[in-house]
Amino acid sequence: VVLSRPAWLWGAEMGANEHGVCIGNEAVWGREEVGGDEALLGMDLVRLGLERADTAEKALTVIVDLLEKYGQGGNCMESHMAFTYHNSFLIADRKEAWVLETSGKYWAAEKVEGGVRNISNQLSITTKIDREHPELKEYAKSKGWWDGEKEFDFAAAYSYVNTARMTTTRGRYCEGYKLLNKHKGSITSEIMMKILRDKESGINMEGEFMTTGSMVSVLPQEPNLPCIHFFTGTPDPARSVFKPFIFVPNITQLLKTSSPTFGDHDPVKKQPRFQNKPDRRHELYKKHESAAVVMETIEGKGKEMLKEIQELEKQKISEMESILQNGCLDTNQVVNLFSQCVEEELKIY
């Protein structure tokens, strides 16, 4: 698996495996209370799905089985402050895609049949439910969230969302939906990156919560073509390079974007947790952070730096396009593809 994850925990916010299965995760809240007890985080479920499944639907099954057995819960921040939530997942492979949304141990899944689909910080599955928890409807009925008469609407029953207004109100879900629809039928990796960089929509978050990592994957339906996964590995995609990664034999760990580990002495492994906070920044993160200061304070130098990182990204996208067009992959060259791009980015900084 290749993962983009908060440095302190085991799971991942998004990632891919060598079968072309990709999973991304978002926090959601609803009527069901979030358990404060430690269980599996949504991010743990992302990683477990990727480690155990070779198709999108199998990954969905892995996640819901684990959810049923162990439940979800625990602090999602490396801090004394409790930050807990339920989870929604975007799961895709070369052939199909699913949206899976949860509320405690209850869940609904929608198979994406075409067009575009996004998730954000709210339940978005309404009446099109292709798989569900066996007691999903009964539980909603017992809580008085559904009368058992009108058509069952998951988001309406399990959250406070007015599903009729979901795609028209201003919010990250709605804005993402609009941006994707604008390019429906002609979305390229570059367009996807542009959408993820959009600050006005709130997709690229600034402030207390900040976009800390971004990922774009190209999953060709032709089995002879490789899946290509672009990762920033750094915060704020507007000033990050999307670096390509392809699964080939003999890949070694991506050291310059791997956070340091502290073994058994890690404060997150000790009870009580989070008594102190070690420096978890990896090499690229540190350089990226100091480059951000330059970009914000020294106008000419900052612009020059930004231009260089944009050119580096364009060059990598064009190299990946030619691999997909020609269908020829030199595995010896590709083995260090991501790491080499990191080195080039470091040089610019």
Side-chain angles (χ1 to χ4, degrees):
V1 297
V2 58
L3 307 171
S4 181
R5 62 187 185 88
W8 63 276
L9 52 71
W10 181 83
E13 289 183 321
M14 52 208 157
N17 69 22
E18 86 274 28
H19 300 288
V21 178
C22 298
I23 310 178
N25 153 267
E26 283 273 5
V28 289
W29 294 268
R31 287 188 161 121
E32 184 75 347
E33 273 191 37
V34 182
D37 295 343
E38 289 197 9
L40 288 170
L41 298 176
M43 293 176 274
D44 296 328
L45 293 168
V46 169
R47 179 167 177 169
L48 289 160
L50 290 171
E51 287 185 347
R52 298 179 181 191
D54 59 4
T55 69
E57 192 172 4
K58 280 185 197 166
L60 188 151
T61 303
V62 165
I63 292 171
V64 298
D65 287 353
L66 288 163
L67 190 62
E68 179 71 18
K69 193 170 177 184
Y70 300 104
Q72 60 181 323
N75 199 356
C76 299
M77 270 173 93
E78 187 183 12
S79 119
H80 292 291
M81 252 177 61
F83 182 53
T84 56
Y85 47 75
H86 303 301
N87 291 272
S88 69
F89 305 87
L90 204 49
I91 309 170
D93 62 23
R94 290 175 185 265
K95 296 204 171 86
E96 62 182 43
W98 289 79
V99 173
L100 166 63
E101 297 185 333
T102 69
S103 180
K105 69 171 186 173
Y106 300 97
W107 57 272
E110 174 193 338
K111 190 174 181 182
V112 182
E113 308 286 0
V116 296
R117 188 68 168 81
N118 64 314
I119 59 171
S120 194
N121 302 114
Q122 63 187 59
L123 297 178
S124 64
I125 294 172
T126 56
T127 54
K128 185 186 183 303
I129 299 171
D130 297 299
R131 285 183 57 182
E132 66 190 67
H133 185 284
E135 290 150 32
L136 181 76
K137 289 173 185 150
E138 272 313 302
Y139 183 71
K141 206 167 153 187
S142 74
K143 290 291 223 177
W145 300 339
W146 177 57
D147 61 8
E149 298 293 317
K150 60 175 182 283
E151 188 179 17
F152 182 76
D153 178 323
F154 175 65
Y158 277 81
S159 68
Y160 303 100
V161 171
N162 175 337
T163 54
R165 291 179 60 232
M166 222 159 38
T167 55
T168 54
T169 51
R170 183 159 170 79
R172 286 178 91 218
Y173 175 76
C174 168
E175 295 301 309
Y177 176 84
K178 282 199 278 198
L179 286 166
L180 288 168
N181 262 292
K182 190 174 150 188
H183 300 283
K184 191 159 75 173
S186 60
I187 294 176
T188 61
S189 52
E190 263 181 300
I191 286 171
M192 201 63 233
M193 289 167 194
K194 195 178 170 191
I195 291 172
L196 293 178
R197 287 178 164 133
D198 195 286
K199 290 194 174 172
E200 204 186 325
S201 62
I203 304 257
N204 182 7
M205 287 193 293
E206 289 186 291
E208 186 186 353
F209 282 98
M210 184 178 188
T211 297
T212 50
S214 301
M215 168 185 174
V216 170
S217 289
V218 183
L219 310 176
Q221 293 192 311
E222 301 83 349
N224 61 311
L225 294 177
C227 294
I228 298 170
H229 312 284
F230 292 91
F231 290 92
T232 58
T234 47
D236 186 358
R239 53 179 175 79
S240 294
V241 178
F242 278 90
K243 296 166 280 294
F245 175 94
I246 297 174
F247 280 99
V248 288
N250 307 317
I251 282 185
T252 52
Q253 197 182 352
L254 311 171
L255 293 173
K256 294 197 175 174
T257 50
S258 294
S259 296
T261 51
F262 300 91
D264 293 335
H265 302 293
D266 198 310
V268 297
K269 291 189 178 175
K270 293 179 174 173
Q271 294 282 7
R273 299 211 195 284
F274 312 125
Q275 293 305 294
N276 57 52
K277 210 170 172 178
D279 184 355
R280 300 186 185 277
R281 295 172 303 159
H282 53 64
E283 192 174 332
L284 182 66
Y285 192 107
K286 285 179 183 172
K287 287 279 198 302
H288 176 83
E289 214 171 30
S290 42
V293 176
V294 173
M295 287 180 195
E296 281 159 22
T297 55
I298 310 169
E299 198 182 341
K301 198 173 177 190
K303 272 189 180 160
E304 187 55 38
M305 206 182 265
L306 195 59
K307 193 173 158 222
E308 283 185 53
I309 66 169
Q310 286 166 347
E311 280 168 5
L312 171 63
E313 184 179 278
K314 270 203 168 72
Q315 179 201 328
K316 296 298 166 187
I317 291 171
S318 136
E319 282 171 22
M320 295 309 103
E321 277 169 2
S322 79
I323 286 174
L324 293 174
Q325 277 161 12
N326 306 330
C328 69
L329 189 68
D330 181 340
T331 53
N332 294 327
Q333 268 192 315
V334 170
V335 77
N336 295 314
L337 179 66
F338 185 89
S339 305
Q340 274 168 355
C341 191
V342 169
E343 292 296 347
E344 289 168 59
E345 190 180 355
L346 285 168
K347 269 190 196 129
I348 295 169
Y349 294 148

